[in-house]
Each structure stands twice: as structure tokens, then as C-alpha cells.
Amino acid sequence: MINSDDLRFFRIIANHASLAATARALNVTPPTVTQRLQMIERKLKLKLVERHARQITLTDEGMLLAERARLILAEMDDLHEVLNSQQHEISGCLKILAPLGFGQEYVAPLVTEFQGRHQNLSVELELSDNPDWSSGHAWDIMIYIGELRNSSLKLSLLAENRRFLCASPAYISKYGQPQTPADLRQHTCIALRENAEDVTMWRFNSAGSEKQAAVRINPKLASNDGRVIKQWALKGSGIIQRSEWDVAAHLKKGELVRLLSDYELPSADIVALLGTDLRARSARTSKFLELLKLRLAQQPWHK
């Protein structure tokens, strides 16, 4: 019967293109890898790998074993973390996914603070302007901003976050201010392409009423990087729709001006997405979530 060491070994084989590459990853000789693989195949009485000149392919049985090994080993790791958490020990590896700009500004400092408190903990923080939010199994915590569509993940609110329409004083001086959402069709608008949202459809609610309006903009400029579109707006290139956390300081300094303040844009609350497995209940996850809630609920972007 194979054991967990066999499963971990075979997972490494499955993640490499050849047995030689596996040997380099393990810092052993290729014959050692071959012998260990043959031993596992004898235990199972199955052929797991097809060997070619310079590469390998998994058989159907090998593919099944690799996938089940991933699940089994993840469950074992989760169990280990939960058992540690029963002793209030924060250890293991905390894996976090966050948007690039927000992650750099507000998540990264909290990561170093948290790891500094817990010397037995390591942290992997991935920042991306185009994250794969569907890969919840790969992360302990995913930080998300914006409209969340169908998700099987557990959601925890970190901070309320409004969206504002704004432009620079230079743009307003040259082109004037829109008075209604429909006026945006006569202005230069800048689009941020993120989260698979319909970024050219700008929706508004009239403050204090149920009246709604939607305007399809024809952006002259667009980018998937929030920092880029903000810089364009600061230089007077057009009107942007941006999260409060990102433009609050610029509004306070007068570098940007809020437009159509009698209308509200859909909010983009900042939330943490958690898996439903044991890792979501581990001490490392729950304690870091507490820190996120404590600091972000204070909306530090207004300071």
C-alpha cells in the first residue's frame, strides 16, 4: 500500500516534464527517481507513467493518482494546521491573493506586521491586476474589490468602499463638468478593465431616490491597471470611475474633483473570500482576517 510520502513523490513527478527534471528538483540522481517510481507502480500493480525519449506522460491511472494525491495531501496539510490551531499556534504558510494597487498600499504592510509577530509562519502574497478569483483552492484568503458574481467562497466584509466619478481641475477648466449622466457621452471617459465587468456601462442611482440611469461610454483610453488610469486623469486626459480608497487623498488635496455628486455609483466594497475547507478555519487564516478587519474598517485612505 502506498503512503503519503509516495503521494508527495508522485505529485512532483506529475509536475515535471521528465524524470530527469524530477531528479533535478529533488536533487537526486535520475536512477533514484526511476527506482522509486517503479516501486510505487509495483505496489499498485499499475503503470502510471509512459516514458519517452526526453519526456514523460501520465497514463489515465497516473492522472487519476496525481489529482487524488493533490486532494489528499491538501486535506492532510489542512488537518495539520487545524491541529496546530487547537494549540493556538500560528504556523505553516499563509497564502494571500490581492489586487495589485490595493495590495501594495494596504495589504503588504499588514503581511510583514503579521509575520513579524509569528516567527513560525511564512506568507506568500500574490498581487495581480488580473487575478484568477476562481482558484479559491489555492489560497487561504483572497481580497476582492468590486461586484462579486457567483462564488462558492465564504465572504467577509473588510471595509465599505464607494466609487466616485472624478476628473482633474485642468480637465474641468477645459471641458466643463457633466450635469447629468447622459452628458458623459459628450466627454472623454477613461475605462478600467478589471474583474470581467462591463466596464463601458456606467450605472448611476440618483441620491435619495430609486431613479436609475445607465450610460454606455465610448472610452478614448482604457487600461487594466488602476494606477495608469488614475495618472491619466490627474494629467487632465479624461474622466474616471474609481474606488474611494484610491482617490480619497487626491480629492482631499484638490488634485481631482468629484463629479455628479448627486448620483451614486454601485459600491465596490472590500471583502475577503475564504474557502470552505479546514484551512479557512486555521489559526493563521482567522487571525490574519481579524487584523485585516481591524485595520481596514478604519478606512486608512482617509487619514
Side-chain angles (χ1 to χ4, degrees), residues 4 7-8 11 66-82 95 137-140 277-280 284:
S4 60
L7 294 178
R8 293 187 189 279
R11 280 283 295 160
E67 177 59 22
R68 292 301 296 269
R70 181 186 67 80
L71 297 173
I72 291 169
L73 293 171
E75 288 290 334
M76 292 178 66
D77 291 342
D78 290 343
L79 178 59
H80 177 71
E81 295 302 331
V82 171
K95 297 183 179 181
H137 64 275
W139 310 97
D140 295 295
D277 57 13
L278 295 175
R279 285 185 307 170
R284 64 167 185 254

Side-chain angles (χ1 to χ4, degrees), residues 36 40 79 81 111 126 180 192 195 206 214 249 258 265 291 300:
R36 181 73 183 277
I40 295 173
L79 178 59
E81 295 302 331
V111 165
E126 179 164 324
T180 68
L192 173 63
N195 295 345
S206 181
R258 186 179 174 188
L265 292 161
L291 180 62

Side-chain angles (χ1 to χ4, degrees), residues 171-173 175-180 183 187 239 257-260:
Y171 177 89
I172 294 171
S173 175
Y175 299 104
Q177 293 194 37
Q179 301 302 310
T180 68
D183 292 344
H187 283 266
I239 297 173
V257 176
R258 186 179 174 188
L259 306 176
L260 297 180

Side-chain angles (χ1 to χ4, degrees), residues 283-296:
R284 64 167 185 254
T285 301
S286 60
K287 292 299 181 181
F288 187 67
L289 181 61
E290 287 179 11
L291 180 62
L292 286 172
K293 287 182 175 180
L294 176 65
R295 297 298 177 77
L296 298 183

